[in-house]
Amino acid sequence: MPDSALLGTPAAAGSHRPAAATRRRPVRDRIRQGAWGWLFVTPMVLVLGLFMALPILMALWVSLLHWDGQSNPFTGNVDFVGLRNYRDLIGTDGLTRTLFATSLRNTAYYVLLTVPLQTVLALGLAIAVNQRLLRGRGAARTVFYFPSVTSSIAVSTVFLFLFQGSGSVNRMLSWVGVKGPNWFADPRGVVWLVLGNLGITDQDHPGGPLARHGALGLSWADWFSGPSVAMCTLILLSVWTTSGTFMLIFLAALQGIPRTLEEAAALDGVNRRQLLRHVTLPALRPVLFLVLTLGLIATWQVFDQVYVMGKGAPGNTTLTPAYLSYSSGFDNADFGHGAAIAFLLLAIILPLAGLQRWVLRERGTRHTRKGVRARG
């Protein structure tokens, strides 16, 4: 019997009734389900609103005030200054803008060096401990991850002893005829320091014409001086303590890649470098975005290592916006400037995270969707 005849039978008509009934689900059922969903998530919404959204709004209000932290910021006795705190930080000549620009310069070098180094190191460690033929993989993972679970205060204190002028690092460098620097007392940027040692620039007057012009209260010579020797120590500390955490994230993603892909690539004669480029890295794109975003946020908000290892010394070359915000509020009793620094930092992090997402997006996805719609 032809299919067209079957479509008119009662059995065939009955087979379409569940789908039609599903499409015509009463509106009250959907409302009831939505109400139950909101009922279950309401406690978490209240917690997030109480401990996240409300403090953010309070900090935004404080950034518009000249407040010393001693009175109630929501009464009429506080001095409302509007956007003056923001103008002092980015538009008005003075010490406040100079310190803020210095913290941005220091953190920019910290981010540009720390994030790529810790990402590459974490990916390399994950690939190494993911090898099936590697003996002691569990012990290796534990050793690499151990610095991440150690207190950052304790690790910073240990680094202070290791990198002091007469510490273990300089002692080992002396064994190969290298005189190590006084790591936490040298404010010179490594760019001008290296160029001066090579005789390319004058060590007493680095930068040349770049020292006569600049932005935000700093000369271009200051902007391009590179991280100080002390900041390089902080970068080493950060890479060493965070690579283990990101290694575990990469390791979980690597173990989620189907073995059939690697086996098919091996049958096609693909070597390890090509396998990493054309199979592994594309499969790790979402995880790579996660790692880079977490690293970006953490490095722009670095505070504890700076607090322990010098509080911005030497010469404010390890000063960061997070520590400057803390210092403005709790050391100088100027919570308005401290809150304004925090929101300017947020205004820097969000576009950078969006840029990372745009760079790491799936290529051709938009065109593929358009093609699917056109064929449909």
Side-chain angles (χ1 to χ4, degrees):
M1 184 179 293
D3 294 340
S4 58
L6 291 175
L7 293 177
T9 62
S15 64
H16 290 276
R17 286 176 184 172
T22 302
R23 288 194 297 268
R24 293 194 301 269
R25 176 178 295 177
V27 176
R28 63 176 179 272
D29 291 344
R30 292 196 296 268
I31 295 177
R32 187 182 299 111
Q33 290 180 359
W36 278 107
W38 278 108
L39 180 63
F40 282 116
V41 302
T42 295
M44 184 54 63
V45 171
L46 293 177
V47 170
L48 291 177
L50 181 62
F51 293 101
M52 291 188 63
L54 185 59
I56 290 174
L57 294 176
M58 293 174 62
L60 181 61
W61 171 249
V62 170
S63 70
L64 305 176
L65 306 176
H66 179 66
W67 184 52
D68 59 1
Q70 301 298 320
S71 60
N72 188 346
F74 301 101
T75 62
N77 298 327
V78 295
D79 186 12
F80 180 81
V81 297
L83 298 178
R84 192 180 73 184
N85 291 327
Y86 295 91
R87 289 197 299 268
D88 291 343
L89 291 169
I90 60 178
T92 304
D93 292 336
L95 179 62
T96 301
R97 189 180 71 168
T98 301
L99 289 177
F100 182 63
T102 302
S103 69
L104 290 181
R105 178 203 63 185
N106 299 337
T107 312
Y109 283 114
Y110 183 80
V111 173
L112 289 174
L113 292 175
T114 301
V115 174
L117 288 175
Q118 70 185 10
T119 303
V120 172
L121 179 59
L123 180 58
L125 293 177
I127 294 174
V129 299
N130 193 47
Q131 302 299 318
R132 287 175 291 179
L133 300 179
L134 178 67
R135 293 184 178 180
R137 289 188 298 172
R141 295 171 186 174
T142 303
V143 170
F144 294 146
Y145 182 64
F146 185 75
S148 299
V149 298
T150 307
S151 170
S152 61
I153 304 300
V155 174
S156 300
T157 304
V158 171
F159 264 63
L160 281 174
F161 285 103
L162 292 177
F163 285 89
Q164 61 182 340
S166 58
S168 302
V169 175
N170 282 350
R171 179 63 61 87
M172 288 186 293
L173 290 177
S174 65
W175 294 345
V176 293
V178 177
K179 182 181 180 181
N182 195 351
W183 297 91
F184 297 107
D186 193 343
R188 294 176 296 175
V190 294
V191 172
W192 301 130
L193 185 61
V194 172
L195 294 179
N197 290 332
L198 295 176
I200 299 176
T201 61
D202 186 0
Q203 292 189 0
D204 296 329
H205 303 283
L210 294 177
R212 294 192 292 268
H213 305 282
L216 294 178
L218 295 181
S219 67
W220 293 120
D222 293 329
W223 281 105
F224 298 112
S225 62
S228 66
V229 177
M231 179 57 77
C232 291
T233 310
L234 288 178
I235 292 171
L236 291 176
L237 169 63
S238 179
V239 171
W240 185 68
T241 55
T242 57
S243 297
T245 300
F246 295 143
M247 177 200 70
L248 291 185
I249 297 176
F250 279 126
L251 182 61
L254 287 172
Q255 293 179 349
I257 299 176
R259 292 289 184 183
T260 55
L261 292 178
E262 298 180 0
E263 294 172 357
L267 292 176
D268 292 337
V270 175
N271 56 37
R272 289 185 177 273
R273 182 180 60 83
Q274 293 172 333
L275 179 66
L276 176 65
R277 178 180 177 183
H278 298 289
V279 177
T280 306
L281 289 181
L284 294 178
R285 189 188 300 271
V287 178
L288 184 61
F289 169 72
L290 172 65
V291 169
L292 289 176
T293 302
L294 292 176
L296 177 73
I297 295 173
T299 49
W300 273 104
Q301 295 179 343
V302 60
F303 171 81
D304 45 357
Q305 295 95 333
V306 175
Y307 183 83
V308 174
M309 303 177 70
K311 299 181 179 180
N316 292 324
T317 55
T318 60
L319 184 67
T320 62
Y323 179 76
L324 182 61
S325 176
Y326 166 84
S327 178
S328 297
F330 292 95
D331 293 339
N332 302 328
D334 192 352
F335 287 89
H337 278 120
I341 293 172
F343 280 97
L344 288 176
L345 186 60
L346 177 64
I348 293 173
I349 293 175
L350 289 180
L352 290 178
L355 178 62
Q356 284 187 170
R357 182 176 180 84
W358 179 80
V359 171
L360 295 175
R361 73 190 188 280
E362 292 288 346
R363 307 294 179 180
T365 304
R366 183 176 179 183
H367 300 288
T368 303
R369 291 177 180 174
K370 288 183 177 180
V372 171
R373 294 196 199 100
R375 289 193 298 271

